[in-house]
Amino acid sequence: MTATAPAPAARRGLDKKAVDKRAFNKKAVIPWLFLAPGLLLALVFKFWPMAKGIWLSFFDVRPFLGDQWIGLDNYERVLSDHRFQDAIGHTLILGIGQSFGAILLGFALALLLEGQARSLKILRTAVFLPAVTATAVVGELWRLMYYPTSDGLLNSGLHLLGLGPVQFLDNPDLALYSTMAMGIWIWAPYNMVILLAGLAGVDRSLYEAAAMDGVSLWQRLRWVTLPAIRPALMIVLTLATIRGLRVFTEVYVLTGGGPAGSTDVWMTRAYTLGFTRNDIGGASAASVVLLCVTLLLTVMVNHLRKRGEAR
Amino acid sequence: MSAPVIDPVRPAAPDTPAGRSTKAQRTTPARFDTALGWNDKPGVAWTLRILLCLIALAVFAAPFLTIFSGAFTTNPSGSSLSFLPHDSTLLNFKVAGERGIWDYLGNSLVIAGGGLLLQLVVCTLAAYALARHRFRGQALIMMLFMMTLMLPEEVIAIPLSLVLGDVPVVHLDLKGTVWGVILPLGAWGFSVMMLTEFMKDIPAEIEEAARLDGVGELRMLWQIILPLCRPALGVAGVLGFIMIWDQYLLPLIASKDPTDYTVTVALSILRTDPEVGSGVVLAGAVIALIPSLIVYLLLQRSLVTGIAAGATKG
């Protein structure tokens, strides 16, 4: 807050106290007037629902009959439900696989497309397309690419290689990984942009010095580039972690959790529970669990990041 | 964010306008410009790079061509999906139109326009207070806005749908109205953070001089601060639009019946309609794709800058 100017009258020292006090009163109200719309909207549509969700998670919610306090029963029910347990596994596999896949591919893309030539800028624009396209559109696109008969887009490619048609989305063993591939495809270009910003900040004279010392390209990457883009990598990792846990739209539009629940993640499960089966209490409990884990992870990653930066 | 427009691929040189390389940079041999030391001389590395670039293009951009080619092809299925349409037709769009795709697009445009406008106004006002005023509880308010980023629609979807059906105190039912989607998008922590950071960097002297001239708060914001924030507003606008257009769960839970859907959500209706083929779905996808494509191509510079700057500010 370096920008706040001292009141001019106060600086002149005339009747300092009185002016200060009046200025203070007026000044105290003004910021709140500017903040009011934002705070009101955040309160009504973010914090109130959050509080309500936590509250409802302790109830058996029965429309028209009145809610009944049941303590931690919802949590117990959700956590011991095997479909939710499976969903935890899927969420972890999908989140971790998708995050690391997208970071690795994003890094590779950043290394490949780093540079100032105009053609590279155009390439970057094109490669970034998946990240700006609405997830629902991407879902439709991938559903067609995954078309299960041999004349599907990917399957016709496999056909050329002499491989049989693959049931990307209909095979319970494969559907989760097919979803993961789409997630990597969406998020790799996004990570690329952040990592490119990191790469741009690397001191060029270090590369020169490394070359003079005669180090190999691999060593240069490992000991010069990677340490320099550590902050960017940490940001990408933080974003990916939070995103991975609450993954919903990708799965919902591509597989809807199927086949046979093989791609059901935590949020699609909670959605089904809340909206299709009308079990508001259970769905709220599931959301609260997710919220707690997200907050915990965010705090943890931030802590690690700060420690890493201080070192 | 002292230099508002940073090309992420260029070393940040604070004193030089971005977009122009300085002499010092130019004298550095090209092989030290990039981490992998790419150079423009034809050779093995150069050929490899072109090859890899082509693969990247095929993987990330080419699939979009299938959306377009499929949308303009009569009854595409499987093998007829290719990168170029074989017998082009507008029939798919006609069928999609009969299924109400233009109404869905209308919903989307109203929501995107209204939501973005509200978001920009609300976030600008909040950012102005946070950046240019000092008041009690400032850190707490900042934290609250930061927390909205950690409360994504997914996590609060179920209670939010109840709140939208019966807004506390005023007891309005927002379901089935565009307000149900627009209002929850108003306070977006990301824009508040970014605009606050940007406004903090405006020199205090400018504000002081204006205050001596007797400029009030609203005029200060509108005539002094906002014109200086144009780059940041551009970033907030593009990112906000892309974010709103990508919304899926919110329009879904805020709707009363399918006619309230946005065009992206409505794609699922087209898909599950047994009477239409994938060509019609793709026609819908094209219609859902074009607005974000236009915004992106027109303003991609500020988008990329914003992601990079917003992320590094983190």
Side-chain angles (χ1 to χ4, degrees), chain A residues 83-84 86-91 176 251 255-270 272:
Chain A
R83 296 199 70 167
F84 261 104
D86 288 351
I88 296 181
H90 299 151
T91 310
L176 191 63
V251 176
T255 64
S262 61
T263 56
D264 235 349
V265 288
W266 192 264
M267 264 322 298
T268 52
R269 202 66 222 128
T272 315

Side-chain angles (χ1 to χ4, degrees), chain B residues 13-312:
Chain B
D15 296 329
T16 51
R20 255 172 245 295
S21 48
T22 57
K23 255 191 194 148
Q25 277 169 301
R26 211 172 287 153
T27 50
T28 319
R31 67 199 170 100
F32 300 125
D33 270 357
T34 61
L36 290 186
W38 296 110
N39 59 40
D40 296 340
K41 285 189 210 84
V44 181
W46 185 73
T47 318
L48 182 69
R49 190 183 202 191
I50 289 186
L51 208 68
L52 287 172
C53 284
L54 285 177
I55 293 176
L57 208 59
V59 171
F60 289 98
F64 287 93
L65 293 180
T66 63
I67 299 188
F68 285 93
S69 73
F72 290 102
T73 305
T74 340
N75 224 354
S77 78
S79 59
S80 59
L81 273 182
S82 66
F83 294 125
L84 292 168
H86 348 169
D87 64 303
S88 35
T89 170
L90 285 175
L91 191 74
N92 293 327
F93 287 88
K94 201 175 147 250
V95 177
E98 283 160 10
R99 296 286 189 274
I101 198 81
W102 302 114
D103 294 335
Y104 296 126
L105 181 70
N107 288 346
S108 273
L109 290 174
V110 169
I111 284 165
L116 190 60
L117 190 69
L118 179 78
Q119 194 176 73
L120 284 178
V121 170
V122 165
C123 295
T124 306
L125 291 176
Y128 175 71
L130 286 167
R132 311 303 294 190
H133 286 273
R134 202 200 286 264
F135 56 91
R136 230 175 242 273
Q138 194 156 18
L140 181 80
I141 299 297
M142 200 75 177
M143 215 180 74
L144 279 181
F145 279 115
M146 206 108 88
M147 266 189 73
T148 62
L149 284 177
M150 284 181 238
L151 287 176
E153 274 70 42
E154 288 90 350
V155 179
I156 53 170
I158 289 126
L160 181 60
S161 88
L162 298 177
V163 168
L164 289 176
D166 182 18
V167 179
V169 187
V170 284
H171 295 294
L172 279 173
D173 181 6
L174 295 179
K175 282 201 176 182
T177 69
V178 289
W179 295 108
V181 190
I182 288 178
L183 290 176
L185 295 168
W188 190 29
F190 178 85
S191 282
V192 176
M193 300 294 118
M194 193 197 57
L195 290 169
T196 306
E197 288 298 325
F198 197 90
M199 287 185 190
K200 271 184 188 172
D201 289 342
I202 294 171
E205 288 77 22
I206 296 179
E207 198 185 322
E208 274 174 59
R211 284 218 194 280
L212 285 179
D213 286 343
V215 170
E217 292 289 340
L218 275 176
R219 257 189 72 202
M220 175 81 75
L221 175 60
W222 184 247
Q223 291 186 332
I224 314 281
I225 305 286
L226 273 192
L228 292 169
C229 287
R230 214 170 288 159
L233 282 174
V235 172
V238 192
L239 281 174
F241 181 86
I242 302 278
M243 169 267 207
I244 294 174
W245 201 261
D246 193 28
Q247 287 291 327
Y248 194 86
L249 192 50
L250 186 59
L252 196 62
I253 62 172
S255 60
K256 261 211 171 96
D257 61 281
T259 54
D260 304 324
Y261 284 176
T262 55
V263 67
T264 48
V265 181
L267 287 181
S268 64
I269 300 181
L270 284 183
R271 190 210 312 139
T272 47
D273 190 335
E275 284 166 40
V276 305
S278 50
V280 177
V281 182
L282 286 177
V286 165
I287 293 166
L289 178 64
I290 288 201
S292 43
L293 209 59
I294 292 174
V295 168
Y296 170 55
L297 291 180
L298 285 181
L299 301 161
Q300 50 121 345
R301 205 180 148 75
S302 44
L303 177 75
V304 168
T305 312
I307 291 172
T312 37

